[in-house]
Amino acid sequence: DAKTTQPPSMDCAEGRAANLPCNHSTISGNEYVYWYRQIHSQGPQYIIHGLKNNETNEMASLIITEDRKSSTLILPHATLRDTAVYYCIVRGLRHSGGYQKVTFGTGTKLQVIP
Amino acid sequence: KAGVTQTPRYLIKTRGQQVTLSCSPISGHRSVSWYQQTPGQGLQFLFEYFSETQRNKGNFPGRFSGRQFSNSRSEMNVSTLELGDSALYLCASSLVELSSYNSPLHFGNGTRLTVT
């Protein structure tokens, strides 16, 4: 499975856009990029996912580079409730065949500052 | 639509005992997967069930087992508990099996297991 690399922590001022980067340089052509976030003592919450094209939903935007080796999650107007750990993961078929597993890395701890 | 429900929310057990955790997926979801989350190891995949069949398994000992019922509800069992089994156990459901990777996983809030 492709591994992801994220900065351990970031700060963002309330009301400003939060841009969270993720490196997935070993991603293969059939792997999707997913973003989740986890607030303390709750389960991970699905945010958005994409394959090649940029995606937007009511929560966030996902920008994937043309070579697909990295992506950025954008929270357009961060609020205090967006303070959480954000995980970037990739999901797809293993080249060796069989079913793929889901693995989360250590994520980015985003602190939104008033 | 109700989300993924896990019970119990908290559990305290002693070494050597066994424990059963329950997960009710989102209505209509047929895939249920289980994860262990600890501060040191992060979130690790345990296994996935789809249509009552185990489809995939992570690198955990045989003390960890599970099953899925015809209504897609799932249970996870850990026998002969060890101190290192203390963790947050998360269940996630998906509309289709995990190998259809264009379908998001939706997580419950987990069961916090403490082994003393």
Side-chain angles (χ1 to χ4, degrees):
Chain A
D1 300 327
K3 302 301 180 189
T4 62
T5 305
Q6 299 176 254
S9 64
M10 291 181 63
D11 291 337
C12 178
E14 188 178 17
R16 303 295 294 270
N19 296 277
L20 293 93
C22 179
N23 181 286
H24 31 79
S25 58
T26 60
I27 195 170
S28 62
N30 61 15
E31 290 185 307
Y32 283 76
V33 179
Y34 278 80
W35 282 84
Y36 287 82
R37 70 181 182 185
Q38 188 170 24
I39 297 168
H40 184 61
S41 75
Q42 295 183 18
Q45 177 190 21
Y46 166 75
I47 301 173
I48 198 168
H49 75 286
L51 182 62
K52 296 179 182 178
N53 300 321
N54 298 336
E55 302 287 345
T56 296
N57 63 20
E58 65 279 3
M59 289 183 68
S61 295
L62 173 61
I63 308 297
I64 302 174
T65 58
E66 193 170 337
D67 62 9
R68 304 211 320 122
K69 293 185 176 182
S70 65
S71 61
T72 301
L73 178 74
I74 301 173
L75 307 177
H77 305 286
T79 70
L80 298 178
R81 286 178 295 179
D82 292 323
T83 293
V85 178
Y86 287 76
Y87 296 98
C88 162
I89 67 168
V90 293
R91 288 178 57 195
L93 275 174
R94 279 185 270 170
H95 292 300
S96 58
Y99 300 96
Q100 53 87 37
K101 301 174 185 177
V102 174
T103 305
F104 281 42
T106 53
T108 295
K109 186 172 184 178
L110 175 68
Q111 182 71 49
V112 179
I113 303 167
Chain B
K1 186 184 265 191
V4 177
T5 304
Q6 291 189 247
T7 56
R9 190 78 173 89
Y10 300 93
L11 207 48
I12 299 175
K13 292 284 187 179
T14 56
R15 277 181 296 176
Q17 288 186 312
Q18 74 166 14
V19 66
T20 299
L21 312 181
S22 180
C23 173
S24 293
I26 292 173
S27 178
H29 284 196
R30 296 171 61 192
S31 167
V32 173
S33 49
W34 288 88
Y35 303 83
Q36 181 195 67
Q37 187 173 36
T38 58
Q41 298 295 320
L43 194 145
Q44 295 185 289
F45 173 79
L46 279 156
F47 30 64
E48 180 209 2
Y49 285 87
F50 182 82
S51 294
E52 302 178 64
T53 303
Q54 188 180 87
R55 294 305 186 99
N56 202 356
K57 193 175 189 306
N59 297 322
F60 280 82
R63 300 185 296 107
F64 292 81
S65 63
R67 59 178 175 168
Q68 186 181 35
F69 302 96
S70 57
N71 61 358
S72 294
R73 190 177 70 84
S74 178
E75 288 182 347
M76 190 191 95
N77 185 273
V78 188
S79 62
T80 319
L81 284 166
E82 301 176 359
L83 294 179
D85 296 333
S86 294
L88 179 66
Y89 289 89
L90 292 159
C91 159
S93 76
S94 178
L95 195 59
V96 294
E97 56 193 308
L98 286 183
S99 57
S100 300
Y101 31 83
N102 191 17
S103 179
L105 299 175
H106 297 274
F107 287 83
N109 282 330
T111 294
R112 174 77 61 186
L113 172 65
T114 302
V115 182
T116 62

